[in-house]
Amino acid sequence: EPEVTQTPSHQVTQMGQEVILRCVPISNHLYFYWYRQILGQKVEFLVSFYNNEISEKSEIFDDQFSVERPDGSNFTLKIRSTKLEDSAMYFCASRPAIGYEQYFGPGTRLTVT
Amino acid sequence: KQEVTQIPAALSVPEGENLVLNCSFTDSAIYNLQWFRQDPGKGLTSLLLIQSSQREQTSGRLNASLDKSSGRSTLYIAASQPGDSATYLCAVLFSGGYNKLIFGAGTRLAVHP
């Protein structure tokens, strides 16, 4: 069964550094999402992406964040200058053109020191 | 504001008990509702998805029901086992917010032998 994959599984970075989290959505899916979960808190929506542009973003998704689909398979989340409070589990999700079920990847744990 | 609430926050039961986890949401206009399982430090495993037109879904020992008019869903786990110990998350796709799932804070379940 096709799956959403994410790399790396764990990333440690220093405050102020740029990080790129990578996702490979399911191949025939057209809608892509990033969510995050700070330890002990709810899963929160960050951004949705369709047809090579952002369709919706949350208040969390400020100018420090960007998303890109650089080729036909990858979907990336970039954080330009990481802060301690960016430490969280980041989940990528995708869904097909028909139906609204989102399929989640295993997550990338980002630790900012 | 569209919100999802889960009660109880934590539950500890002896093995073999049947149990019910509750999820409530603030707006009855939804596309679907999804139940996830999350093990500590891990990703989201989708358990059941109920479309807005459905009343319930079953998978093995799990049964999820949906009552849109009252803004409630329940996840019923039959004959609980220690391997069921995890956090169970409810997530709602509200109509008009079709881009993002809104998650509850979860119910942390411990099933002891």
Side-chain angles (χ1 to χ4, degrees):
Chain A
E1 186 173 334
E3 293 180 334
V4 177
T5 59
Q6 291 185 241
T7 53
S9 57
H10 189 191
Q11 172 117 28
V12 182
T13 190
Q14 289 190 327
M15 196 166 50
Q17 296 296 305
E18 174 183 288
V19 295
I20 298 176
L21 309 183
R22 302 181 191 280
C23 169
V24 179
I26 295 173
S27 63
N28 63 344
H29 286 190
L30 298 180
Y31 296 81
F32 313 111
Y33 308 85
W34 284 102
Y35 293 81
R36 80 171 186 190
Q37 184 181 33
I38 295 171
L39 188 63
Q41 297 188 22
K42 289 184 182 184
V43 177
E44 305 171 286
F45 167 79
L46 289 178
V47 66
S48 59
F49 191 86
Y50 169 72
N51 199 26
N52 282 321
E53 60 183 29
I54 291 173
S55 45
E56 186 171 354
K57 60 183 180 179
S58 71
E59 293 175 352
I60 303 166
F61 194 88
D62 61 21
D63 292 343
Q64 292 298 312
F65 291 89
S66 63
V67 289
E68 193 178 32
R69 188 154 161 82
D71 52 42
S73 59
N74 291 284
F75 179 52
T76 61
L77 175 69
K78 182 194 289 186
I79 309 175
R80 288 188 182 82
S81 178
T82 50
K83 307 183 189 101
L84 294 176
E85 54 265 37
D86 293 327
S87 294
M89 182 78 97
Y90 288 80
F91 295 107
C92 173
S94 68
R95 73 167 176 90
I98 297 173
Y100 293 102
E101 183 174 4
Q102 295 181 21
Y103 296 78
F104 281 77
T108 292
R109 178 169 301 284
L110 176 65
T111 301
V112 183
T113 61
Chain B
K1 184 182 175 185
Q2 293 167 332
E3 290 185 345
V4 178
T5 303
Q6 291 187 248
I7 294 173
L11 188 60
S12 180
V13 300
E15 181 177 5
E17 274 205 7
N18 301 323
L19 50 98
V20 174
L21 308 182
N22 295 294
C23 172
S24 61
F25 44 94
T26 51
D27 185 347
S28 62
I30 70 170
Y31 283 115
N32 61 45
L33 182 146
Q34 219 166 335
W35 283 94
F36 293 88
R37 170 183 171 139
Q38 186 175 35
D39 292 290
K42 301 295 184 182
L44 306 174
T45 300
S46 181
L47 298 173
L48 290 164
L49 178 140
I50 310 179
Q51 303 287 358
S52 62
S53 57
Q54 297 175 319
R55 293 300 299 264
E56 65 179 296
Q57 280 282 359
T58 298
S59 176
R61 293 182 294 108
L62 305 179
N63 175 277
S65 67
L66 174 64
D67 183 345
K68 278 195 312 179
S69 60
S70 66
R72 292 182 184 176
S73 176
T74 60
L75 180 67
Y76 175 83
I77 303 176
S80 57
Q81 302 169 358
D84 294 330
S85 299
T87 297
Y88 291 81
L89 302 176
C90 170
V92 176
L93 192 66
F94 289 98
S95 301
Y98 62 89
N99 275 319
K100 58 179 183 275
L101 284 169
I102 306 293
F103 283 79
T107 293
R108 191 169 65 254
L109 173 65
V111 181
H112 49 87

